[in-house]
Amino acid sequence: MAIRALVWGENVHERTNDAVRALYPDGMHHCIASALNAADGITAATATLQDPEHGLTTPRLAETDVLLWWGHAAHGEVEDGIVERVCEQVWSGMGLILLHSAHFSKIFKRLMGTPCNLSWREAGERERIWVANPRHPIAKGLPSHFVLENEEMYGEPFGVPEPLETVFISWFQGGEVFRSGLTYRRGAGKVFYFRPGHETYPTYHDRTVQQVLTNAVRWAHNPAARMSDVTSAPNVPVEQAPEPIETRGPNVHEPGDEGFR
Amino acid sequence: MAIRALVWGENVHERTNDAVRALYPDGMHHCIASALNAADGITAATATLQDPEHGLTTPRLAETDVLLWWGHAAHGEVEDGIVERVCEQVWSGMGLILLHSAHFSKIFKRLMGTPCNLSWREAGERERIWVANPRHPIAKGLPSHFVLENEEMYGEPFGVPEPLETVFISWFQGGEVFRSGLTYRRGAGKVFYFRPGHETYPTYHDRTVQQVLTNAVRWAHNPAARMSDVTSAPNVPVEQAPEPIETRGPNVHEPGDEGFR
Amino acid sequence: MAIRALVWGENVHERTNDAVRALYPDGMHHCIASALNAADGITAATATLQDPEHGLTTPRLAETDVLLWWGHAAHGEVEDGIVERVCEQVWSGMGLILLHSAHFSKIFKRLMGTPCNLSWREAGERERIWVANPRHPIAKGLPSHFVLENEEMYGEPFGVPEPLETVFISWFQGGEVFRSGLTYRRGAGKVFYFRPGHETYPTYHDRTVQQVLTNAVRWAHNPAARMSDVTSAPNVPVEQAPEPIETRGPNVHEPGDEGFR
Amino acid sequence: MAIRALVWGENVHERTNDAVRALYPDGMHHCIASALNAADGITAATATLQDPEHGLTTPRLAETDVLLWWGHAAHGEVEDGIVERVCEQVWSGMGLILLHSAHFSKIFKRLMGTPCNLSWREAGERERIWVANPRHPIAKGLPSHFVLENEEMYGEPFGVPEPLETVFISWFQGGEVFRSGLTYRRGAGKVFYFRPGHETYPTYHDRTVQQVLTNAVRWAHNPAARMSDVTSAPNVPVEQAPEPIETRGPNVHEPGDEGFR
């Protein structure tokens, strides 16, 4: 069965900025989804901020194997309840790929537990992306490095936890460096942050970038059944303990209590 | 200069449960602070949920090197704004030690980005804590393992991200295991989770537990000056780029913009 | 195409100890290979210490996707040159699964860079193995925990580097704990250590253990083409630098030098 | 008591290459040791390849808190037995700092379990080193980045395991990037790799580099007593099991056996 990807786009600058509209007349989310749909074994759909519930209803997330997220100007307009809903799906096993300015999305900050900040410069400078982890599934088919002639600069320090793996590191013409591809696991969900993708440049039309996204979707897909009750803290009654024991001492819980949260 | 520890106690069951009050007539926070004050180079104070702003005003946190946190019945009563305030201090360099049922505190869940759940049983069973990382500063002076004759059981899976280091692993009489001592770093702040400490048992009177807490305070202390503006994402204007470059292509930002959040 | 597994067995106690022979008349390696061959998409063969070049010739390793390793009494008889050969294949992308007493194999110690030691007791006691990382591919289809009624005890501290992931943790009847399933990556090769499998007990006949091994083979398989020249340190001549630069200052290398090793 | 640092220098190019001799007439090891001796609380001595036992006798290592290692042209002349001796001291708690071309030293490759390879270019190009982990003890007192106007280039991929922490990342004028400051723990020993320090440039005369080395010595120092028998795998006889158990089933070990290695 094909991997079901869902590309979420904030869809603001595509409608309000002429340069962005010219590059992505149907929105960046459509450009990305088209690239994914061209790959074997992936079917990609789209959702946007403007859709009811941002296009991220519970049934739709339940049918999503990997969610890709692009946002920039309107992070604050994403509803907190939907952020929690997405979080729970990630913990339950849904893959999540954060793109470029999504470093400051509510969902990424929520999953990282850190500020996720960085330094930046919008000068259309050259970015050279190096593969730091050869033969990693996300780097499949890539050369040792590739160039995006015009990109926004993001510079270290990147305010994230130590990653599980560092897949890409970027060199910028203006003198900075950045860890451009980082993997994490949160619960049963695999998380990948990928740096490139400023809206005023044709990054998502680049074939190598499209290859990375395709690879990342395949990597982030957890084929196991989604977990249920992913935040529960089950009580194991004394009579169900794996080894026979008897209760000793005083209690704050009554039998059958669910515990404090 | 002494390390300034602040022991935060929820201070509920000490006032409402006779067994807990009998063990900790002044509250668990006072018991812990007394143990820390008996150690060289540490001065410990206390704060509770019932204090104004939970005793965690901005000036007080600014003068706190390491915060210890015990909560259980009233996690939900901790104000969200104060949780964010504590988070920012951790990112800025304040150490944080989470005790026992603080696995479900807002602050721990916020910093981990995961559910932080587990299985549990309140049966006063035997817990044997093994040092998995000998010569780690938090294990200083400890034997290879030590026993708490009566403790609440916490069982794997523990819903947290992979830790930086696994310091302790617990064996329970009833048949479960648990990673009882885990380290993390969030921004400039060092974070330690330590499992034991159920309120109906005399755990915080135990000398070995007190040694762990003393070690952990010393480990979690970051002597560097606290960071300022720890969530800022500074723009580096093109004319201040480390290497000389010129702007190319279109922009979504005007010169002097602060960037979207 | 099926994943090509190769099960390497030391094959000593199966021939010299009656109890072991009774359990594994064809050797543990055959028992394990049979279980793998019963799984979809895996073809497993065997090799032993007694084979020429221990059955691990360069062509055979080149055709091996995942190598499983069981050794105990004869670690010292494995030739150093063959250990290096296996290492290079792991770095190049071959998966490696270390079983039980292979914690002290030359190949595991070589890849870890640590003593890989532990405490132990051969008393046929109960081992209960907990899944610490639900929905990890290696835990596919497993219950929350499973029991081996008779196993050798291995106790913490386990002298290995911090793993990438902790998949299993064991509880022992005699009071110890152990991190029983650990993942690492070494170059392009995925490495998994799995604790159970003492030769005097029927562990490799256990269906759940067989499921773990099947899962682990699938997880350890890197489908990318094996890397070549995996230890090379290529010089990038100044005229081939990605950005145009000119040589400045004195040199210790002549043009065309291969560098010191 | 002062931290006892020992700076090990290969001491070959300082004697055979005029440019290197001019920069470091007493050897790089003396330059580094002088910088360390100028810092509070550190006393630094030196040892070289040409000394008996390379200056690394067992008693001397026992009195060394942190060993710094610079080698390049003569990695192969370091005796294997002395490499093992240094390894055991690291596992026992001695800190180890690897400098520049020591990425290919026997001791680093031994501790990493990987090829430790990289790409390189000796062109005296500009290196800009970014702090990726602000307020890390090794970055104490450093600006956000610093420049070495002439350095050898080292490029990714760097063939090492995922580090515990990424402290520095380098930008090179010629277009490459490199993880220039990485931390590891091997047993009780803290390990730090620091990239700069090509022998034909005045890198070790740079004040910021000297600050990094001073910081790193303080960070790598484990004040706990050195571990003994760091490779032992102790048997726990059944009568000494923490919980009372009785032996069941057959054995391959006789009572009192030391186990196989």
Side-chain angles (χ1 to χ4, degrees):
Chain A
M1 197 174 105
I3 300 171
R4 300 162 300 179
L6 181 61
V7 185
W8 190 90
E10 176 186 279
N11 195 30
V12 171
H13 282 143
E14 294 98 326
R15 298 181 297 146
T16 61
N17 180 297
D18 288 344
V20 180
R21 186 190 296 118
L23 284 168
Y24 301 105
D26 299 318
M28 280 181 285
H29 45 291
H30 273 291
C31 178
I32 294 168
S34 295
L36 296 177
N37 276 316
D40 282 345
I42 301 176
T43 60
T46 64
T48 66
L49 178 66
Q50 296 80 28
D51 295 340
E53 303 190 41
H54 309 331
L56 302 171
T57 62
T58 298
R60 193 166 200 195
L61 289 172
E63 293 177 354
T64 297
D65 294 315
V66 179
L67 178 65
L68 298 95
W69 192 281
W70 196 100
H72 190 192
H75 293 316
E77 296 176 30
V78 178
E79 288 177 30
D80 290 342
I82 293 175
V83 171
E84 285 307 299
R85 186 190 292 169
V86 172
C87 262
E88 291 211 7
Q89 292 296 328
V90 171
W91 298 334
S92 301
M94 184 179 73
L96 181 66
I97 299 172
L98 292 311
L99 299 172
H100 187 61
S101 40
H103 74 90
F104 255 174
S105 63
K106 287 183 179 180
I107 181 70
F108 189 54
K109 293 192 292 185
R110 177 73 179 84
L111 288 168
M112 295 295 105
T114 55
C116 302
N117 52 342
L118 43 80
S119 68
W120 60 280
R121 178 175 55 239
E122 190 189 24
E125 69 200 87
R126 188 177 311 126
E127 175 179 17
R128 183 175 290 103
I129 299 172
W130 291 88
V131 175
N133 197 326
R135 297 301 192 271
H136 191 284
I138 297 177
K140 186 182 173 187
L142 299 195
S144 64
H145 63 280
F146 63 99
V147 169
L148 299 170
E149 187 55 34
N150 295 103
E151 254 296 350
E152 187 180 23
M153 181 281 290
Y154 278 5
E156 294 279 349
F158 188 15
V160 289
E162 284 291 327
L164 219 51
E165 300 161 315
T166 298
V167 182
F168 301 118
I169 303 177
S170 285
W171 177 101
F172 288 97
Q173 188 181 1
E176 282 90 353
V177 295
F178 197 74
R179 289 171 290 171
S180 279
L182 299 177
T183 72
Y184 294 91
R185 192 176 167 111
R186 288 292 180 266
K190 297 166 91 172
V191 177
F192 179 57
Y193 174 81
F194 186 51
R195 198 214 76 79
H198 191 59
E199 60 264 48
T200 60
Y201 314 119
T203 297
Y204 294 119
H205 293 290
D206 182 274
R207 292 298 170 99
T208 309
V209 167
Q210 293 178 353
Q211 180 69 50
V212 171
L213 297 180
T214 303
N215 292 342
V217 165
R218 289 179 178 135
W219 171 85
H221 174 223
N222 189 340
R226 206 62 62 87
M227 295 183 78
S228 57
D229 294 326
V230 75
T231 64
S232 74
N235 177 247
V236 182
V238 66
E239 63 274 14
Q240 294 175 20
E243 299 284 322
I245 56 171
E246 294 183 1
T247 299
R248 304 183 294 184
N251 295 307
V252 295
H253 298 282
E254 301 292 320
D257 266 9
E258 291 207 356
F260 304 107
R261 299 187 73 104
Chain B
M1 197 174 104
I3 300 171
R4 298 162 301 179
L6 181 62
V7 185
W8 189 89
E10 175 186 279
N11 194 32
V12 171
H13 282 142
E14 293 99 324
R15 298 180 298 147
T16 61
N17 181 297
D18 288 345
V20 180
R21 185 189 296 118
L23 283 167
Y24 301 105
D26 299 318
M28 280 181 286
H29 45 291
H30 273 290
C31 178
I32 293 168
S34 295
L36 296 178
N37 276 316
D40 283 344
I42 301 177
T43 60
T46 64
T48 67
L49 178 67
Q50 297 80 28
D51 295 339
E53 303 190 38
H54 309 331
L56 302 171
T57 60
T58 299
R60 194 167 199 194
L61 290 173
E63 293 176 354
T64 297
D65 294 316
V66 180
L67 178 65
L68 299 95
W69 191 280
W70 195 100
H72 190 193
H75 293 316
E77 295 175 30
V78 178
E79 290 177 29
D80 290 342
I82 293 175
V83 171
E84 286 306 300
R85 185 190 292 170
V86 172
C87 262
E88 291 212 7
Q89 292 296 326
V90 171
W91 298 334
S92 302
M94 184 179 73
L96 180 66
I97 299 171
L98 291 312
L99 299 171
H100 188 61
S101 41
H103 75 90
F104 255 174
S105 63
K106 288 182 178 180
I107 180 71
F108 189 53
K109 293 193 292 185
R110 177 74 178 82
L111 288 168
M112 294 295 105
T114 56
C116 302
N117 52 342
L118 43 80
S119 69
W120 60 280
R121 180 176 53 240
E122 190 189 25
E125 68 200 88
R126 188 177 313 125
E127 175 179 16
R128 182 175 292 103
I129 299 171
W130 291 88
V131 176
N133 198 327
R135 298 299 193 273
H136 191 285
I138 297 177
K140 186 182 174 187
L142 298 194
S144 64
H145 62 280
F146 63 100
V147 169
L148 299 170
E149 189 54 35
N150 296 101
E151 254 297 348
E152 187 179 23
M153 182 280 290
Y154 279 5
E156 294 279 347
F158 188 15
V160 289
E162 284 292 328
L164 219 53
E165 301 162 314
T166 298
V167 182
F168 300 119
I169 302 177
S170 285
W171 176 102
F172 288 97
Q173 189 181 1
E176 283 89 353
V177 295
F178 197 75
R179 289 170 290 171
S180 279
L182 299 177
T183 72
Y184 295 91
R185 190 175 168 113
R186 289 292 180 266
K190 297 167 91 172
V191 177
F192 179 59
Y193 175 81
F194 186 53
R195 198 215 76 80
H198 192 59
E199 61 263 48
T200 61
Y201 314 118
T203 297
Y204 294 119
H205 294 289
D206 182 274
R207 291 299 171 100
T208 308
V209 168
Q210 293 177 354
Q211 179 70 49
V212 171
L213 297 180
T214 303
N215 291 342
V217 165
R218 289 178 179 138
W219 171 85
H221 174 222
N222 189 340
R226 205 64 60 87
M227 293 181 79
S228 57
D229 294 327
V230 75
T231 65
S232 73
N235 177 248
V236 182
V238 65
E239 62 274 14
Q240 295 176 20
E243 299 284 321
I245 56 170
E246 293 184 1
T247 299
R248 302 182 297 182
N251 295 307
V252 295
H253 297 282
E254 301 291 321
D257 266 9
E258 291 206 355
F260 303 107
R261 299 188 74 102
Chain C
M1 198 174 104
I3 300 172
R4 299 161 301 180
L6 181 61
V7 185
W8 190 88
E10 176 187 280
N11 194 32
V12 171
H13 282 142
E14 293 98 326
R15 299 179 299 146
T16 62
N17 180 297
D18 288 344
V20 180
R21 184 190 296 117
L23 283 167
Y24 301 105
D26 299 318
M28 281 181 284
H29 45 291
H30 273 290
C31 178
I32 293 168
S34 295
L36 296 177
N37 276 315
D40 283 344
I42 301 177
T43 60
T46 64
T48 67
L49 177 67
Q50 298 81 27
D51 296 340
E53 302 189 40
H54 309 330
L56 301 171
T57 61
T58 299
R60 193 166 200 195
L61 290 172
E63 293 177 355
T64 298
D65 293 316
V66 180
L67 179 65
L68 298 95
W69 192 280
W70 195 100
H72 190 191
H75 293 315
E77 296 175 31
V78 178
E79 290 178 29
D80 290 342
I82 293 175
V83 171
E84 285 305 301
R85 185 190 293 170
V86 173
C87 263
E88 291 212 4
Q89 292 295 327
V90 171
W91 299 333
S92 302
M94 184 178 73
L96 181 65
I97 298 171
L98 292 311
L99 299 171
H100 188 62
S101 42
H103 74 90
F104 255 173
S105 63
K106 287 183 179 180
I107 181 70
F108 189 54
K109 293 192 291 185
R110 177 74 178 82
L111 288 169
M112 294 295 105
T114 55
C116 301
N117 52 342
L118 44 80
S119 69
W120 59 280
R121 177 175 57 240
E122 190 189 25
E125 69 200 86
R126 188 176 315 125
E127 175 179 17
R128 183 175 291 103
I129 299 172
W130 291 88
V131 176
N133 197 325
R135 298 299 194 272
H136 191 283
I138 297 177
K140 186 183 174 186
L142 298 195
S144 64
H145 62 280
F146 62 101
V147 169
L148 299 170
E149 188 55 35
N150 296 101
E151 253 297 350
E152 187 180 23
M153 181 283 288
Y154 279 4
E156 294 279 348
F158 188 14
V160 289
E162 284 292 326
L164 219 52
E165 301 162 313
T166 298
V167 181
F168 301 119
I169 303 176
S170 285
W171 177 101
F172 288 97
Q173 188 181 2
E176 283 90 352
V177 295
F178 197 74
R179 288 170 291 171
S180 278
L182 299 177
T183 72
Y184 295 91
R185 191 176 169 115
R186 288 291 180 268
K190 296 167 91 171
V191 177
F192 180 59
Y193 175 80
F194 186 53
R195 198 215 75 82
H198 192 59
E199 61 264 48
T200 60
Y201 314 119
T203 298
Y204 294 119
H205 293 290
D206 182 274
R207 290 299 170 99
T208 308
V209 167
Q210 293 177 355
Q211 180 69 50
V212 171
L213 297 180
T214 303
N215 292 343
V217 165
R218 289 179 179 137
W219 171 86
H221 174 221
N222 189 339
R226 205 64 60 86
M227 294 182 79
S228 57
D229 294 327
V230 74
T231 64
S232 74
N235 177 249
V236 182
V238 66
E239 61 275 15
Q240 295 175 21
E243 298 285 323
I245 55 171
E246 292 185 2
T247 299
R248 302 183 296 182
N251 295 305
V252 296
H253 297 282
E254 300 292 321
D257 265 10
E258 292 205 355
F260 304 107
R261 298 189 72 103
Chain D
M1 198 174 105
I3 299 171
R4 299 162 300 179
L6 181 61
V7 185
W8 189 90
E10 176 186 281
N11 194 32
V12 170
H13 282 142
E14 293 98 325
R15 298 180 298 145
T16 61
N17 181 297
D18 289 344
V20 180
R21 186 190 296 116
L23 283 168
Y24 301 104
D26 299 318
M28 281 180 285
H29 45 290
H30 272 291
C31 177
I32 294 168
S34 295
L36 296 177
N37 276 317
D40 283 345
I42 301 177
T43 60
T46 65
T48 67
L49 177 67
Q50 296 81 28
D51 295 341
E53 302 189 40
H54 309 330
L56 301 171
T57 61
T58 298
R60 192 166 200 196
L61 290 172
E63 293 177 354
T64 297
D65 294 314
V66 179
L67 179 65
L68 299 95
W69 191 281
W70 195 100
H72 189 191
H75 292 317
E77 296 175 31
V78 178
E79 289 177 29
D80 289 343
I82 292 175
V83 171
E84 285 305 300
R85 185 190 293 169
V86 173
C87 263
E88 292 212 5
Q89 292 295 328
V90 171
W91 298 335
S92 302
M94 183 178 73
L96 180 65
I97 298 171
L98 292 311
L99 299 172
H100 187 63
S101 41
H103 74 90
F104 255 173
S105 64
K106 287 183 178 179
I107 181 70
F108 188 55
K109 294 192 291 184
R110 177 75 179 82
L111 288 168
M112 294 295 105
T114 55
C116 301
N117 52 342
L118 43 81
S119 69
W120 59 280
R121 178 175 55 239
E122 190 189 25
E125 69 200 87
R126 188 176 314 125
E127 175 179 16
R128 182 175 292 104
I129 299 171
W130 292 88
V131 176
N133 197 326
R135 298 300 193 271
H136 190 284
I138 296 177
K140 185 183 174 186
L142 298 195
S144 64
H145 62 279
F146 62 100
V147 170
L148 299 170
E149 187 55 34
N150 296 101
E151 254 296 350
E152 187 179 23
M153 181 281 289
Y154 278 5
E156 294 279 346
F158 188 15
V160 289
E162 284 292 326
L164 220 51
E165 300 161 314
T166 298
V167 182
F168 301 118
I169 302 177
S170 286
W171 177 101
F172 287 97
Q173 188 181 2
E176 283 89 353
V177 295
F178 197 74
R179 289 170 289 172
S180 279
L182 298 176
T183 73
Y184 295 91
R185 192 176 167 114
R186 288 292 179 266
K190 297 167 92 170
V191 177
F192 179 59
Y193 175 79
F194 186 53
R195 200 214 74 81
H198 191 59
E199 61 263 48
T200 60
Y201 313 119
T203 297
Y204 294 119
H205 293 290
D206 182 274
R207 291 299 171 97
T208 309
V209 167
Q210 293 177 354
Q211 179 69 49
V212 170
L213 297 180
T214 303
N215 291 343
V217 165
R218 289 180 178 136
W219 171 85
H221 174 222
N222 189 338
R226 206 62 63 86
M227 295 183 77
S228 58
D229 294 327
V230 74
T231 64
S232 73
N235 178 247
V236 183
V238 65
E239 62 274 15
Q240 295 175 21
E243 299 285 322
I245 57 171
E246 293 185 1
T247 299
R248 303 183 296 182
N251 295 307
V252 297
H253 298 281
E254 301 291 321
D257 266 8
E258 291 206 356
F260 304 108
R261 300 188 72 102

